[in-house]
Amino acid sequence: MRELLLNLAEQAMCARGYGGFSYADIARDAGIRKASIHHHFPSKQDMGLAVLDRYGERLVQRLKLIGQSSRSGGQALAAIIDLYRERAGSGGMLCLCAAMSGDVHAIDDRIRSALQRINDLVIASLEEILVTGRGDRSISVGGDPKAEATSILAMLQGAQLMARVTMNPATFDAATEVLAARIYRG
Amino acid sequence: MRELLLNLAEQAMCARGYGGFSYADIARDAGIRKASIHHHFPSKQDMGLAVLDRYGERLVQRLKLIGQSSRSGGQALAAIIDLYRERAGSGGMLCLCAAMSGDVHAIDDRIRSALQRINDLVIASLEEILVTGRGDRSISVGGDPKAEATSILAMLQGAQLMARVTMNPATFDAATEVLAARIYRG
DNA sequence: GTCTATAATGAGATAGAC
DNA sequence: GTCTATCTCATTATAGAC
């Protein structure tokens, strides 16, 4: 049940943000009463943090897998773009970080710190990918890899935000076209 | 009073999004009762749309002014970056579009259309600036100007989102460092 | 672990006096 | 235009039975 609740909460938060879902929503979808949720997660902040923590752990695994299974930096970067496109594709959802970042004012510092840690994690991964891609000539990297990685994350999150407005995943593609074009495909 | 209410609502929305402010907040800051707000704006959606419409009109003026007063494409692009940095600098606020985009699920189609229109407007402005900058050799423009403009807007909105998480405007600068470096300064 | 019942708060909105 | 008073609804959260 705890896992089911986490799944439903993550889905809801990606779709409508931290402030955009309620215990009532989750309870209905889970088939239990909302009071029962408090047994698993005493407060909504606890639930939000638990969702974000699990999300962070899974992201680490996924980034590691992308690094291992990619035969070039370019292939890894393409996988990262796909990772963010997934959410934008399914009904204008955001990655959990972008979704929760919009509600930073409503959440406590534990969650904000976790968000910051995850962003830094993705930036570090992207930086490593850019360095690899520069080495194997599969990505065009003009400037400092760390700075490039930071701007790429901003672009990916911004592209999701813009796609949500149009309700069209093509908007995400349009906003990341330039990034995708920096990959030299064999 | 109407103008005061619009100002307070815009401020609140940039700071906490559409769902993050209430008539009670605005009423307190304006020094009137919340029932009185309904005289000026029957529903919260009406208020949100009015704020966004005014924002769009002002943005048009500001973009026009930037185009007129800039002596090069690079100078204009720098002005646009500053425009977005302003908000990120003052306490992790977002531009109104980014702030409302996070709450798209909670607003009606009139507002969503207005958001889309404003995004398109900024993209068109950026495209024009890139073309100018490419012509006068003040900006490095590699790909299609329209695609570049779209990704730049995504980057700027994403940079604001990331800066909100760290509560540090330097994060905005880090995420836009690569963009700023594309400007050749005389 | 889940339930019923309820508390406590805050939201947007309306009616009608002044 | 602004007020008081009220409505209706949704929210998170708690107490206590089963």
Side-chain angles (χ1 to χ4, degrees):
Chain A
M1 177 54 63
R2 189 188 148 91
E3 284 300 306
L4 173 60
L5 294 175
L6 286 175
N7 292 344
L8 292 171
E10 180 173 333
Q11 174 88 13
M13 271 194 267
C14 289
R16 300 184 298 278
Y18 177 80
F21 83 98
S22 69
Y23 271 34
D25 300 330
I26 305 297
R28 179 175 26 78
D29 294 347
I32 61 173
R33 299 292 171 173
K34 58 181 181 170
S36 307
I37 300 180
H38 287 279
H39 171 75
H40 301 279
F41 307 100
S43 79
K44 194 181 174 184
Q45 301 266 348
D46 293 327
M47 194 176 201
L49 185 58
V51 170
L52 188 58
D53 279 344
R54 193 188 64 161
Y55 179 83
E57 287 165 17
R58 288 183 174 174
L59 195 58
V60 169
Q61 298 303 318
R62 247 181 124 165
L63 292 174
K64 192 183 295 180
L65 192 67
I66 287 174
Q68 288 170 348
S69 66
S70 298
R71 285 187 307 259
S72 69
Q75 203 174 49
L77 179 55
I80 299 273
I81 297 175
D82 274 354
L83 195 66
Y84 281 83
R85 193 192 187 285
E86 256 178 47
R87 299 292 173 109
S90 50
M93 286 169 66
L94 306 177
C95 70
L96 191 58
C97 285
M100 294 188 84
S101 298
D103 285 333
V104 154
H105 61 278
I107 58 188
D108 66 28
D109 263 7
R110 294 176 303 164
I111 299 184
R112 203 181 54 75
S113 301
L115 279 173
Q116 197 170 336
R117 197 170 41 84
I118 294 176
N119 275 349
D120 288 343
L121 204 98
V122 176
I123 291 171
S125 267
L126 279 168
E127 182 183 356
E128 201 181 313
I129 288 171
L130 291 178
V131 170
T132 302
R134 185 169 58 182
D136 65 21
R137 299 178 195 282
S138 61
I139 308 174
S140 160
V141 182
D144 170 54
K146 174 76 178 293
E148 295 266 12
T150 307
S151 76
I152 288 173
L153 178 57
M155 188 186 298
L156 291 170
Q157 292 195 1
Q160 288 187 335
L161 215 55
M162 286 168 60
R164 175 177 254 196
V165 171
T166 61
M167 302 197 304
N168 186 351
T171 303
F172 179 88
D173 297 330
T176 55
E177 183 186 321
V178 173
L179 176 62
R182 287 170 57 182
I183 302 175
Y184 304 127
R185 287 180 171 86
Chain B
M1 176 54 65
R2 189 188 148 90
E3 285 299 307
L4 173 61
L5 293 176
L6 286 174
N7 292 342
L8 292 172
E10 180 172 333
Q11 174 89 11
M13 272 194 267
C14 290
R16 299 183 300 277
Y18 177 80
F21 82 98
S22 69
Y23 272 35
D25 299 330
I26 305 298
R28 181 175 25 79
D29 293 347
I32 61 174
R33 299 293 169 173
K34 61 178 181 171
S36 308
I37 301 181
H38 287 278
H39 171 75
H40 301 279
F41 307 100
S43 77
K44 193 181 173 184
Q45 301 268 348
D46 294 326
M47 193 176 201
L49 185 58
V51 170
L52 187 58
D53 278 344
R54 192 187 64 163
Y55 179 82
E57 287 164 19
R58 288 184 175 174
L59 195 56
V60 169
Q61 298 304 319
R62 246 181 124 163
L63 291 174
K64 192 184 294 180
L65 193 67
I66 287 174
Q68 288 171 348
S69 66
S70 298
R71 284 186 307 256
S72 70
Q75 202 174 50
L77 180 54
I80 299 274
I81 297 175
D82 275 352
L83 196 66
Y84 282 83
R85 194 193 186 285
E86 257 178 46
R87 298 292 171 107
S90 50
M93 286 170 67
L94 305 178
C95 69
L96 190 58
C97 285
M100 293 188 86
S101 297
D103 284 332
V104 154
H105 62 276
I107 58 187
D108 68 28
D109 264 7
R110 293 175 303 164
I111 299 184
R112 202 181 54 73
S113 300
L115 280 174
Q116 197 170 336
R117 198 171 39 85
I118 293 176
N119 275 349
D120 288 343
L121 203 99
V122 177
I123 291 171
S125 266
L126 279 169
E127 183 184 354
E128 201 181 312
I129 288 170
L130 291 178
V131 171
T132 302
R134 186 169 59 183
D136 64 21
R137 299 178 194 282
S138 60
I139 309 176
S140 159
V141 183
D144 170 55
K146 174 77 178 290
E148 295 266 13
T150 308
S151 76
I152 287 173
L153 177 58
M155 188 186 298
L156 290 171
Q157 291 195 1
Q160 288 187 334
L161 215 55
M162 286 168 61
R164 175 178 254 195
V165 171
T166 60
M167 302 196 305
N168 184 352
T171 302
F172 179 89
D173 297 331
T176 54
E177 181 186 322
V178 174
L179 177 61
R182 287 170 59 184
I183 302 174
Y184 303 127
R185 288 181 171 83

